[in-house]
Amino acid sequence: MENIKISTLEEFIKVMGELSEVRWYFRGESKDYGESKNLASGYRWIKANNKVFMDLLNLRKEFFREVGSKLSLKEIENFIAYSQHHGLPTELLDITLNPLVALYFACESNSGKDGYVYLFNNTPYNMLSDIKNNFRDIGQFYYSPYRNLTEKIFSQDIAQQKIWFRWHENTENNLQRELLEQENEYVYELFNESDMTCIRQEFKTSLQKLRANDPYKLDIERMCTYCRTLPNSDIVSQRKIYIAMIFRLMRATNGEFFPTLKYLLVRPTIVFDRMKNQQGDFIYQLNTSMGDDVGLFQPIIPAKTIKIPAERKEEIMKQLNLIGINKKFIYSDDDSIAEYLKNNYRDSFSKLMNPYI
């Protein structure tokens, strides 16, 4: 993963110009959150409050019970995005098509910390790029060829607004699609589209590239040894362990050695007001939980990272404000507009009334 450092808005725009041949999604974070970087708010909530995945689903259910009676049919249809829009923790990770919006989020808070803009390859399927890359799609997102993902995740049945990441008891090594549970069709396609069906060979190659004393390598080797003790018929347990190892190895190597599991790109069927200016979409971040546990979260690893030094944040925010990228623009709700005006009021009433004095 390439890292780039910028100190001014001008430098940032120049970098964007240099990278313009590739289509990108962007995400801004105002500091390095470590293990929680690029982690959906719902999973941060689970970790911070000692909860399990089912608690997150019940939280959304309770929110709907409180507000559902006043929502339109379209808001109900897109309730998981509506929840995210209003600050409820969900499995969705905000991303944007507008790099300046991401830069704003990277600079708006944590003034003493470096900010980061993460870039995700939004290149759709392209035969020429596949040929150049040994028939592997270079884009990081999964575009379902079978059905619209929103039909599943934005269901009016709130209980269905989830994607389970589990395997059928009879799943075979080659991940036959017809043997997967109906809810797992997306996960199956993610593996196929990500070229991850040859899991064992990928592990052999990747483990060789890790340092001998790397704790992740030792951990994964122990898990591989344990897998060999399982009976061949226990495919479910083997698959769960492999998935866990995939996530650990991806995080350990920052996606360098193991092919990254593609990200489920989610687009609501309507655009909420705040999303219009933010030009926002979402990643549905997968979780290995069976519901009654925490599970492991799919690592979201950018193709490139742009670093903004802490001491340059304030100046860049001023520069963004000059071109209209500010709190009033980003959030566009009445409370945000009022706060922006309060903090940026520069007029003088007496001068307005007596301009020639």
Side-chain angles (χ1 to χ4, degrees):
M1 180 184 69
E2 183 180 355
N3 290 294
I4 304 167
K5 183 177 178 181
I6 64 100
S7 297
T8 65
L9 177 58
E10 182 182 8
E11 289 179 6
F12 183 78
I13 293 174
K14 181 181 179 182
V15 169
M16 291 299 99
E18 293 169 350
L19 299 175
S20 60
E21 289 188 5
V22 176
R23 290 169 56 179
W24 303 99
Y25 269 111
F26 306 89
R27 175 174 172 80
E29 294 191 354
S30 59
K31 69 175 185 178
D32 184 348
Y33 284 94
E35 288 290 314
S36 293
K37 74 172 64 171
N38 293 317
L39 187 65
S41 59
Y43 300 145
R44 289 184 181 181
W45 178 81
I46 287 174
K47 293 175 66 175
N49 295 279
N50 195 29
K51 300 296 184 182
V52 297
F53 184 58
M54 192 57 73
D55 289 318
L56 184 64
L57 302 182
N58 282 332
L59 178 68
R60 185 153 68 242
K61 198 171 182 180
E62 283 298 303
F63 184 48
F64 182 78
R65 192 169 74 88
E66 293 287 342
V67 305
S69 62
K70 63 182 181 182
L71 300 181
S72 69
L73 288 177
K74 280 298 181 182
E75 287 172 329
I76 293 174
E77 179 183 295
N78 292 272
F79 189 65
I80 187 172
Y82 181 89
S83 301
Q84 177 87 354
H85 172 70
H86 285 279
L88 195 80
T90 75
E91 309 94 291
L92 300 182
L93 187 73
D94 292 276
I95 52 178
T96 176
L97 286 164
N98 189 332
L100 297 179
V101 169
L103 182 61
Y104 174 89
F105 284 118
C107 296
E108 72 164 340
S109 59
N110 291 306
S111 58
K113 304 286 186 179
D114 296 335
Y116 297 87
V117 174
Y118 300 109
L119 282 68
F120 302 94
N121 191 328
N122 185 30
T123 304
Y125 177 84
N126 183 291
M127 183 58 71
L128 290 177
S129 68
D130 280 357
I131 291 173
K132 290 178 184 177
N133 291 275
N134 298 317
F135 297 96
R136 290 174 68 168
D137 183 6
I138 62 173
Q140 291 183 274
F141 293 92
Y142 167 57
Y143 298 84
S144 172
Y146 295 101
R147 62 180 181 178
N148 189 344
L149 178 62
T150 58
E151 291 179 13
K152 167 68 182 174
I153 200 172
F154 294 144
S155 168
Q156 290 191 38
D157 181 358
I158 306 305
Q160 294 298 316
Q161 292 189 354
K162 63 184 183 300
I163 294 181
W164 290 115
F165 192 66
R166 64 174 185 260
W167 305 104
H168 192 279
E169 292 179 358
N170 298 319
T171 301
E172 296 180 359
N173 278 334
N174 61 359
L175 296 176
Q176 293 179 14
R177 180 167 180 258
E178 65 272 19
L179 295 179
L180 288 171
E181 292 178 275
Q182 181 73 14
E183 293 182 356
N184 279 339
E185 288 184 17
Y186 295 112
V187 176
Y188 170 83
E189 294 301 336
L190 278 177
F191 269 79
N192 266 4
E193 295 292 322
S194 304
D195 197 20
M196 296 177 71
T197 51
C198 301
I199 293 176
R200 285 178 176 159
Q201 183 55 46
E202 292 285 1
F203 273 121
K204 286 181 181 178
T205 303
S206 300
L207 285 170
Q208 291 171 359
K209 296 179 180 179
L210 284 174
R211 299 188 306 275
N213 62 344
D214 192 301
Y216 280 96
K217 181 172 184 176
L218 298 176
D219 185 22
I220 292 168
E221 285 178 338
R222 280 195 294 268
M223 295 175 81
C224 285
T225 301
Y226 175 70
C227 266
R228 286 194 288 271
T229 68
L230 296 173
N232 291 333
S233 59
D234 193 357
I235 300 300
V236 176
S237 294
Q238 289 185 23
R239 186 63 59 186
K240 288 177 182 175
I241 293 174
Y242 284 142
I243 292 168
M245 289 192 289
I246 289 169
F247 284 4
R248 288 170 186 258
L249 190 56
M250 283 166 56
R251 191 173 295 282
T253 63
N254 213 20
E256 183 178 354
F257 301 138
F258 199 81
T260 301
L261 184 61
K262 288 183 180 292
Y263 311 131
L264 286 172
L265 179 65
V266 173
R267 283 186 163 176
T269 57
I270 59 173
V271 179
F272 297 105
D273 288 342
R274 182 179 294 183
M275 290 175 62
K276 288 179 183 177
N277 286 351
Q278 293 184 12
Q279 294 180 253
D281 285 325
F282 304 103
I283 294 171
Y284 186 96
Q285 191 169 11
L286 288 170
N287 175 17
T288 63
S289 171
M290 297 291 286
D292 59 353
D293 61 336
V294 175
L296 291 171
F297 312 124
Q298 177 189 6
I300 305 297
I301 300 170
K304 298 181 184 293
T305 297
I306 297 177
K307 180 179 178 180
I308 301 95
E311 64 272 14
R312 299 299 304 163
K313 279 185 170 183
E314 184 178 356
E315 183 61 28
I316 290 175
M317 286 291 283
K318 291 178 181 177
Q319 294 170 342
L320 285 170
N321 187 45
L322 288 174
I323 58 172
I325 306 296
N326 49 47
K327 189 163 191 171
K328 183 174 67 169
F329 172 82
I330 293 290
Y331 296 105
S332 70
D333 57 85
D334 293 352
D335 290 348
S336 297
I337 293 173
E339 184 176 352
Y340 172 80
L341 292 175
K342 177 185 70 176
N343 295 331
N344 293 274
Y345 184 77
R346 297 290 182 267
D347 291 329
S348 167
F349 180 76
S350 60
K351 286 186 177 181
L352 287 172
M353 292 297 97
N354 302 281
Y356 302 110
I357 297 179

